[in-house]
Amino acid sequence: MCFLVRRNICCRRRNREHLMSVDLKRGETLPIHINMTFPSLPCDDAIDLSGKHEVDLDTNIWKLRLNSHGHIIGTKYLSDLVEKQHTTRNHDDKEHHDDSAKKPHKFSFDKDAENMINKVKKALENGEGCRVYGVLDVQRVAGNFHISVHALNIYVAQMIFGGAKHVNVSHMIHDLSFGPKYPGLHNPLDDTVRILRDTSGTFKYYIKIVPTEYRYISKEVLPTNQFSVSEYFSPMNEFDRTWPAVYFLYDLSPITVTIKEECWSFLHFITRLSAVLGGTFALTGMLDRWMYRLIKALTTPSARGAYR
C-alpha cells in the first residue's frame, strides 16, 4: 500500500515521532471549540455562557432551541460572551448570589420580566432543551468559562425554577477541543454524557492544555492543542447559596509536544522485508535440524539392541 504525500512522492508507511520542548509562544490566541446539549434547560433567556479571563475575548457562539424530540426549533447568536448584566459586577457567581441573598431589599417584576418568566416556564413544560456551539478565541492564559442560569436575576430564577435544586444541568458534550484535529487525536471529553435524575449540582472540569504541533510529511505544520481532564461533581444541598452550573477551568502546560510524521521509503521497506525473510529462513532451518535429530534419535536402534 502506498500513501501519496506530494506529487510524485510515495510513502509506503507513515510513522510518528514525539518530541518535547519548552513552549515559547507569546501573544497568541487559544481557540475553544464547544458543542454541547442541555436536554433539560431551555434557551430562552434561561441559559447563558459566561467566562472569567485576564483579557477580553471574541465570541462566535450560537444557541439552538430544541424541542422534546431534540429537533431544532429556533436559533440565537451570542455576540458577547459576558452578558450585559455581568459587565459591571464581579464575575464570581458565588459572591453574587451570596450578596443578593444577604441584602434584604424590595424587588418588583416589570412586564418584560413577567413575560420572560412565563416564556421560560412554558418552554420547561414543553420539555425544551438547548444546544450551545461555536468558538471562543481567548488569550493563552489560564481561565474558565461556564454554562448556567446566572444571567437571570436570582428572584426571576427562583420564580421560574422554584429553587436551585430544580435546575437540571444534565448535559452531553459532543465536542470540546482547543484547536484543529490531527490524525490520531482523541479529545477525552468528546461524547461525554452526564444525566442527573432527581438531583442537581455543579459540574467542574479541570483541564490541562498541552500545546501541540503536528508536522506532516509534506512539511506542513498544524498548530493545535491536546488536553487531559479530571472532573468533579458537587451535589446541591439545602444550605447552598449558589446555583447549578457546568464549569470548565483550564490551564496551559509550559511544555510543547511536536509530533512529526516520518516516511518509510521503498529502500527502508526492502530492508525490513529482507530482515523478515532472513529471520524466517533462519528459523525454519533451525526447526528442520531439530526435527531431523529428533526423528533420527527415535528411529535409530541403539548399539546394544543391535548385538542382541
Side-chain angles (χ1 to χ4, degrees), residues 160-181:
I160 293 173
F161 297 101
K165 281 190 173 182
H166 301 122
V167 179
N168 191 336
V169 290
S170 297
H171 57 278
M172 294 170 281
I173 304 176
H174 309 290
D175 175 64
L176 181 69
S177 57
F178 297 86
K181 294 185 178 181

Side-chain angles (χ1 to χ4, degrees), residues 61-192:
I61 296 293
W62 290 85
K63 293 197 300 185
L64 306 181
R65 287 180 57 201
L66 307 176
N67 63 15
S68 57
H69 301 289
H71 300 146
I72 299 173
I73 57 176
T75 62
K76 182 179 181 180
Y77 177 72
L78 302 183
S79 60
D80 189 5
L81 177 69
V82 182
E83 63 280 353
K84 292 181 180 179
Q85 53 264 55
H86 282 197
T87 55
T88 58
R89 67 186 180 215
N90 195 319
H91 289 277
D92 192 328
D93 63 283
K94 183 175 181 180
E95 294 179 3
H96 164 61
H97 285 293
D98 285 351
D99 293 343
S100 299
K102 291 178 181 178
K103 293 180 181 178
H105 61 279
K106 295 182 179 179
F107 181 82
S108 60
F109 297 108
D110 56 18
K111 191 169 184 63
D112 291 338
E114 291 180 357
N115 292 337
M116 191 263 288
I117 291 173
N118 294 330
K119 185 178 181 182
V120 177
K121 279 187 173 181
K122 184 178 180 180
L124 283 171
E125 292 173 358
N126 294 335
E128 288 190 18
C130 188
R131 186 164 188 167
V132 181
Y133 81 95
V135 181
L136 311 175
D137 287 319
V138 303
Q139 292 294 328
R140 294 175 61 87
V141 294
N144 76 74
F145 63 94
H146 62 272
I147 301 174
S148 65
V149 296
H150 296 158
L152 298 175
N153 182 285
I154 186 173
Y155 300 102
V156 174
Q158 188 72 28
M159 289 289 295
I160 293 173
F161 297 101
K165 281 190 173 182
H166 301 122
V167 179
N168 191 336
V169 290
S170 297
H171 57 278
M172 294 170 281
I173 304 176
H174 309 290
D175 175 64
L176 181 69
S177 57
F178 297 86
K181 294 185 178 181
Y182 58 82
L185 174 65
H186 173 70
N187 293 317
L189 284 179
D190 287 359
D191 301 322
T192 296

Side-chain angles (χ1 to χ4, degrees), residues 19-26 140-142 207-212 225-226 251-258:
L19 306 173
M20 291 188 294
S21 60
V22 177
D23 183 21
L24 301 177
K25 294 179 181 178
R26 294 292 182 272
R140 294 175 61 87
V141 294
I207 298 172
K208 192 69 172 183
I209 302 173
V210 181
T212 304
N225 300 276
Q226 50 186 325
D251 194 7
L252 285 92
S253 168
I255 302 298
T256 295
V257 174
T258 301

